[in-house]
Amino acid sequence: MISAIAEERLVQAPTLGEGFAAVVARAGERVAVTCGDERVTYAELSARAARVAGGLRAAGVRRGDVVAICMERSIEMIVAMLGVVKAGGIYLPIDARYPEARVAETVANAGAVLLLRELVDGAAGEDVEVEPEDAAYVIYTSGSTGKPKGVVVTQGNVMRLVSATEPWFEFGESDVWTMFHSFAFDFSVWEIWGCLLTGGRLVVVPFQVSRAPEEFRELLVREGVTVLNQTPSAFALLDRVDADGAIGDLKLRVVVFGGEALAGAQLRGWFARHGDQKPAMVNMYGITETTVHVTYRRMLRADERERESLLGVAIPDMSILLLDEQGEEVLEGEICVAGAGVARGYLNRAELTAQKFVETTRFGRVYRSGDIGRRRGDGELVYLGRRDGQVKVNGFRVELGEVEAGLLGCAGVSQACVCVEDGLLVGYFVGREKLAAGVLSAELGRTLPGHMMPSRYVQVQAMPLNGNGKVDRAALAEAGRVRVQVKATGMQGLVAKVWTDVLGGGFGVEDNFFDVGGSSLLLVRVRSALQTELGKVIPVTWMFECTTVKALAERLESGVKDVVVGGNGARQREAFAKAKAMRSVTK
């Protein structure tokens, strides 16, 4: 059961529009959203959204209509979203970086009556009244058949998420949140509405800053961020910057993990530096179809030896079940979710909805996730991976998650991902020091049978992430392929060397970084290494503009002498020198 206070608030404000209006009424003059130097109060945000709602109504938008929003991360994007809510519509978030064909397909599939790429303006009026059962948003997720599917989430689904988790987090007006994730990733629902419904301040993180961990950490310090939401893969980059002696004190009081499996072993370094009390480190298992989060697990230093992802307990108004194919409860089986967070279903996909959202006699309406879990003897619920993550190697069934857990348990390994390539298992890993394949194989051989042992090991500087901050397995496989070594000297040689260190192979000087297995987050590692080598700050924009060894080398040769060390001046130069010395020791 949710707390009495949370239940009272939910009754008083059962929809997003009403919940936001309640915050505006009590904290209208407080800053609601910032983006760079721009900031807007709750009252100003509400007024601007009301004008957008007026413009939408004038354009013919009616209660229950789907309105797509495809805008860069900005205050305007938040205004557009609130405008759709005030107009009684259903907002459809689309990442502005999606290909145009994907945007058009999504808009058409959802039957959106309008696509907003910029704000519309009109006469402000009363908000259109909606009910908790009305849809609030539609978010598209990838489908196993390759056809994306839109998940319809109601007003009540979102409102109870914030209310039901209140006793754990006690979010309030003193909190500062970041919007770090893509608007089209459901983690952003938690970031945006978790903040705006509790009166906090939301800091919109520009895309390029989200892909530059040094700049992102500086933003956290500068803005005094208290609530941070991260996928484990994204946090690993921030963790590394923090471990390298970054300047400035963090004000974090809670870090919430989601989107990927998190093992306690991945937090070992962070706990050594910061302890486990402040910030509180919380693992929350969740699914788009069950409104972002389902479980809560506070991670402590005692969990450092855990190689499995512990899910904790269900949110009070949810139930998490392990069921077999016949719908019977088992100790190891498919993770199924029941309760107030279960979404309405898939938009215009009645057959798929019936397959995944199942009516049961014992548990009511249940969402079958396709994930596999196990209940341990000590009562802990463990995430084992996807049901479709099971593969066959030489006739043997292998769960990739189990091999990954074993690799993660090897000394010096901080991240691990196992893929199947040409019928063989390949283990990719991140380690702060160079680790020999023979050492890893010997250590894994103590716990895994021969048919579960990787045939090849590839050490990478960082795991490539997709737009949602999850490991991009396709890019990872591409990055691990051996390529012809590039012959270059001078600045080209330096750039080529760093590329090789990051991607595990050589390239031609005119190969595009993103065509040879690179990603925006791997580009972050290239930039960081080059800054250390050169002792200069390199603008993030250069990295995205110059995506070949040749082009980047030319830009650095012509422009790096004009790039002054920003921010902390001498202290940053000292940090670069320290990092460079550390690199020479660990090689």
Side-chain angles (χ1 to χ4, degrees):
M1 295 292 291
I2 64 176
S3 69
I5 295 176
E7 188 171 11
E8 181 180 354
R9 289 184 179 177
L10 190 58
V11 171
Q12 293 174 345
T15 65
L16 295 176
E18 291 169 319
F20 179 69
V23 175
V24 174
R26 72 172 186 266
E29 299 310 309
R30 293 185 63 86
V31 175
V33 187
T34 63
C35 185
D37 295 330
E38 187 181 2
R39 57 190 53 226
V40 60
T41 67
Y42 273 93
E44 293 167 341
L45 184 61
S46 180
R48 290 177 63 179
R51 293 194 296 272
V52 170
L56 293 174
R57 288 192 291 267
V61 174
R62 297 294 179 261
R63 174 181 172 180
D65 284 344
V66 176
V67 178
I69 302 173
C70 186
M71 302 171 67
E72 291 286 351
R73 303 182 191 190
S74 60
I75 291 178
E76 287 70 23
M77 187 190 74
I78 304 297
V79 171
M81 180 198 73
L82 283 168
V84 174
V85 169
K86 284 177 174 289
I90 305 167
Y91 73 89
L92 167 61
I94 300 177
D95 196 305
R97 296 178 178 273
Y98 282 178
E100 282 302 312
R102 175 66 175 254
V103 174
E105 179 186 5
T106 303
V107 170
N109 185 271
V113 299
L114 201 64
L115 170 61
L116 290 182
R117 293 188 183 274
E118 58 184 22
L119 297 180
V120 296
D121 210 358
E126 295 294 326
D127 292 0
V128 174
E129 292 188 6
V130 296
E131 299 296 328
E133 296 77 18
D134 287 345
Y137 64 82
V138 177
I139 281 186
Y140 274 74
T141 67
S142 60
S144 58
T145 63
K147 182 179 180 181
K149 52 188 184 294
V151 181
V152 183
V153 179
T154 69
Q155 301 270 337
N157 286 152
V158 183
M159 291 299 296
R160 46 67 43 193
L161 172 66
V162 178
S163 296
T165 56
E166 181 185 53
W168 285 321
F169 296 109
E170 297 181 331
F171 296 134
E173 295 177 6
S174 62
D175 279 317
V176 180
W177 300 57
T178 57
M179 181 189 164
F180 176 88
H181 298 91
S182 165
F183 188 38
F185 181 29
D186 73 328
F187 219 159
S188 70
V189 172
W190 170 254
E191 292 178 304
I192 296 171
W193 290 112
C195 180
L196 297 184
L197 291 175
T198 58
R201 176 163 65 89
L202 182 66
V203 179
V204 177
V205 181
F207 173 79
Q208 290 183 338
V209 175
S210 74
R211 293 304 189 260
E214 298 94 343
E215 281 81 354
F216 181 53
R217 191 186 184 282
E218 290 175 3
L219 179 147
L220 296 178
V221 172
R222 183 174 64 252
E223 298 288 351
V225 171
T226 64
V227 180
L228 177 62
N229 301 280
Q230 295 273 272
T231 62
S233 295
F235 184 78
L237 297 176
L238 177 65
D239 186 30
R240 176 170 291 190
V241 170
D242 186 77
D244 286 342
I247 299 168
D249 295 329
L250 296 168
K251 300 297 190 295
L252 297 173
R253 75 175 185 87
V254 61
V255 177
V256 176
F257 294 96
E260 289 179 320
L262 173 72
Q266 293 172 260
L267 302 178
R268 187 181 296 118
W270 179 272
F271 282 149
R273 298 190 305 277
H274 299 280
D276 62 4
Q277 294 304 301
K278 187 174 182 182
M281 310 294 275
V282 178
N283 188 31
M284 298 189 80
Y285 168 77
I287 319 162
T288 303
E289 288 86 344
T290 57
T291 318
V292 190
H293 295 310
V294 177
T295 69
Y296 173 100
R297 176 52 156 82
R298 177 75 180 269
M299 304 299 292
L300 301 172
R301 292 196 73 164
D303 300 316
E304 286 182 356
R305 296 179 181 178
E306 289 287 351
R307 292 183 289 170
E308 297 180 308
S309 182
L310 307 181
L311 303 187
V313 299
I315 292 173
D317 61 354
M318 303 285 283
S319 297
I320 189 163
L321 312 161
L322 299 180
L323 303 181
D324 61 17
E325 292 295 332
Q326 289 70 45
E328 296 296 325
E329 286 193 272
V330 290
L331 292 179
E332 181 173 325
E334 184 177 9
I335 296 177
C336 299
V337 182
V342 176
R344 179 186 295 176
Y346 298 115
L347 185 64
N348 303 323
R349 301 284 295 276
E351 183 177 350
L352 182 60
T353 297
Q355 292 173 1
K356 302 291 286 185
F357 296 82
V358 181
E359 293 290 345
T360 68
T361 302
R362 293 180 58 191
F363 311 113
R365 190 164 181 265
V366 169
Y367 173 71
R368 305 198 67 128
S369 71
D371 293 332
I372 301 298
R374 182 179 76 249
R375 186 76 65 180
R376 297 197 319 195
D378 59 4
E380 285 278 10
L381 182 62
V382 177
Y383 173 80
L384 298 180
R386 291 289 300 170
R387 182 173 60 183
D388 52 13
Q390 187 183 88
V391 298
K392 275 194 173 183
V393 179
N394 294 327
F396 290 95
R397 293 181 179 180
V398 176
E399 290 286 351
L400 297 181
E402 187 175 354
V403 184
E404 290 170 352
L407 188 54
L408 183 62
C410 294
V413 175
S414 59
Q415 287 181 275
C417 183
V418 177
C419 302
V420 177
E421 299 174 18
D422 299 325
L424 301 175
L425 293 176
V426 179
Y428 293 89
F429 67 96
V430 176
R432 294 190 63 81
E433 299 179 355
K434 186 70 174 178
L435 297 175
V439 173
L440 294 175
S441 183
E443 192 165 350
L444 272 180
R446 298 191 185 105
T447 56
L448 296 182
H451 68 269
M452 296 183 67
M453 297 285 290
S455 299
R456 187 162 63 94
Y457 298 86
V458 180
Q459 185 165 0
V460 294
Q461 292 283 5
M463 292 293 176
L465 308 184
N466 60 24
N468 290 343
K470 299 182 181 182
V471 174
D472 188 335
R473 291 176 181 267
L476 192 63
E478 182 66 23
R481 294 178 183 171
V482 179
R483 299 180 181 87
V484 178
Q485 293 289 333
V486 62
K487 295 181 180 180
T489 58
M491 187 66 78
Q492 281 193 10
L494 174 61
V495 174
K497 174 183 176 297
V498 171
W499 277 34
T500 300
D501 289 343
V502 169
L503 294 180
F507 330 88
V509 295
E510 295 189 11
D511 284 343
N512 188 294
F513 185 79
F514 296 102
D515 291 339
V516 291
S519 68
S520 58
L521 283 173
L522 287 180
L523 202 62
V524 169
R525 303 307 307 162
V526 171
R527 175 173 174 263
S528 177
L530 286 173
Q531 287 182 151
T532 300
E533 294 290 343
L534 298 172
K536 299 287 186 179
V537 173
I538 301 172
V540 177
T541 53
W542 288 14
M543 305 303 297
F544 285 93
E545 292 169 354
C546 305
T547 55
T548 67
V549 168
K550 181 179 180 181
L552 183 56
E554 290 176 352
R555 177 67 64 87
L556 292 174
E557 286 178 331
S558 64
V560 75
K561 62 179 179 294
D562 300 321
V563 179
V564 297
V565 175
N568 298 297
R571 294 183 69 188
Q572 193 160 5
R573 279 192 292 272
E574 182 181 347
F576 283 145
K578 177 182 176 183
K580 188 172 183 178
M582 290 180 64
R583 280 170 53 111
S584 65
V585 170
T586 57
K587 286 179 181 177

